[in-house]
Amino acid sequence: MNVYDTVRMTDVLAPLGYKTVDSPDAADMVILNTCHIREKASEKVFSELGQLRRLKEKRESDGDRMLIGVAGCVAQAEGEEILRRAKQVDMVFGPQTYHRLPEMVTKALGNTSGRGISDTDFPVESKFDFLPEESQTHGPSAFLSVQEGCDKFCTFCVVPYTRGAEFSRPVTAIVDEAKRLVANGTREVTLLGQNVNGYHGEGADGKTWRLGRLLRELAEVDGIERLRYVTSHPNDMDDELIDTHRDLSELMPYLHLPIQSGSDRVLEMMNRKHTGDEYRRVIDKLRDACPELALSSDFIVGFPGESDQDFADTLRLVTDVNYAQAYSFKYSPRPGTPAASIDAQVPEDVKSTRLAMLQELLNAQQMAFNQSMIGKTLSVLIERKGREVGQLGGRSPYMQSVFVQAPERLMGQIVDVKIETAKPNSLTGSVVTGDFGVFDAHNMEHAKAAMEGRI
Ligand code: SAH
Ligand code: SF4
């Protein structure tokens, strides 16, 4: 979501004449868009600010002006602390106020108080009503925020405090944004929300629509060929949404559905409001609806009070579900969250050992999943250049990175790729369809022609 917000900030700033550059060295303004989810992410902000201070001082000694802004959830949670500790910062603002950037920039440019300005309100107005239309191409695969904030208050999580209460955008605004993305070359849209399947926006008929209905509406938009959504909570996986996985060919067969822990005791302490078996039942229903569905999850190890048995329950759940990929983290106590003040914190070395064991299991599942693709033909949306000469990269329906040797004109196209090799984090193969014909990656003549732009 920070990627989406960053793009939208550049849209807000475009009318003021700002555009993005590749490095901060010559920038008139640098905005750090920050994440507060774990301590490591927040700490990074202060080290980055140290580097920017030196850059700003150098620029000032050359007679140039450089504004520094801190945006996102660290700004929301620690705005005052940032202004106190980092005098070089001109503006701090949270995730819900960046539509006010033009006023903030004007104020900051005229500010002589020696202390930066701050806007970390949760405004009554929605920023979405004030953001300008997108001023740039978002690429073949684009994000679209449909829901924000969270009312679930899992005991480890800062999101409800930093992003605020749940809010869903109305359907027409989302469909209009999707149409503009498509008009600018986007073919795959990923719907975003901290709790995206909690979506309950105003539908075209004035009634409240859930995510399944919204997905069906978006699948009708001409030019949208692929849909995804992230991140979902197991309790909001309603039947209508599960059915869309059976009915919509545009909806990719990949779902990120975090469970955090396989232990019912820990799930309860986390305030997740479901058990391991309830999650397993949701997975069963999803797989009934879409047998090829690939699953992903988030896990936290070392939640306060997590015993060896609790951790063993997590390993058992992972074994039962069999994930295509997953993210796993050591529990990180976050200021102001209930779990941070539980006495029974798990020692760091125990967290590290458990994380290594869990990741070994998850990595083995991911490798096996990737290897099962060898010899299959997958549709791949080509969206970037690879590292090797003549190489392009894209995503399979299951979110795997796939690399092929192919001419650049295939950028933005969905092509069939026959998979030849599998690595832990990527696949390689040969393009076998479209106007392109069969392409042999080892055919040097063909590769040479591609590089010279003859094909
Ligand atoms: N809304 C999503 C998760 C959003 S936060 C959900 O309910 O699943 C993204 C991930 O960060 C979480 O799934 C969790 O695994 C991790 N996370 C959040 N707070 C954390 C903390 N205090 N320590 C470690 N990981 C955390
Ligand atoms: Fe955080 Fe997700 Fe729980 Fe909301 S549902 S509090 S975003 S982990």
Side-chain angles (χ1 to χ4, degrees), residues 37 150-154 156-160 194-195 233 260 272:
I37 200 80
C150 182
D151 299 339
K152 290 209 158 44
F153 291 93
C154 299
F156 53 81
C157 184
V158 288
V159 167
Q194 267 80 40
N195 196 8
H233 192 287
Q260 316 296 351
R272 292 290 290 185

Side-chain angles (χ1 to χ4, degrees), residues 270-285:
M270 287 176 163
N271 192 32
R272 292 290 290 185
K273 298 203 172 83
H274 62 78
T275 62
D277 279 349
E278 281 161 353
Y279 178 87
R280 285 179 177 88
R281 276 198 287 280
V282 173
I283 300 287
D284 287 346
K285 275 189 178 177

Side-chain angles (χ1 to χ4, degrees), residues 63-82:
D64 282 345
R65 184 84 197 262
M66 184 175 126
L67 285 183
I68 298 181
V70 182
C73 291
V74 178
Q76 187 67 40
E78 297 178 14
E80 290 306 311
E81 169 82 358
I82 293 171

Side-chain angles (χ1 to χ4, degrees), residues 187-208:
R187 311 183 76 160
E188 174 179 275
V189 177
T190 301
L191 307 185
L192 298 180
Q194 267 80 40
N195 196 8
V196 72
N197 62 342
Y199 178 83
H200 53 273
E202 188 189 332
D205 54 6
K207 299 206 176 103
T208 300

Side-chain angles (χ1 to χ4, degrees), residues 37-38 156-157 194 231 233 258 260 272 298 300 329-332 334:
I37 200 80
R38 284 170 294 276
F156 53 81
C157 184
Q194 267 80 40
T231 295
H233 192 287
Q260 316 296 351
R272 292 290 290 185
D298 292 338
I300 295 178
F329 316 100
K330 287 187 213 174
Y331 168 70
S332 165
R334 307 307 296 126

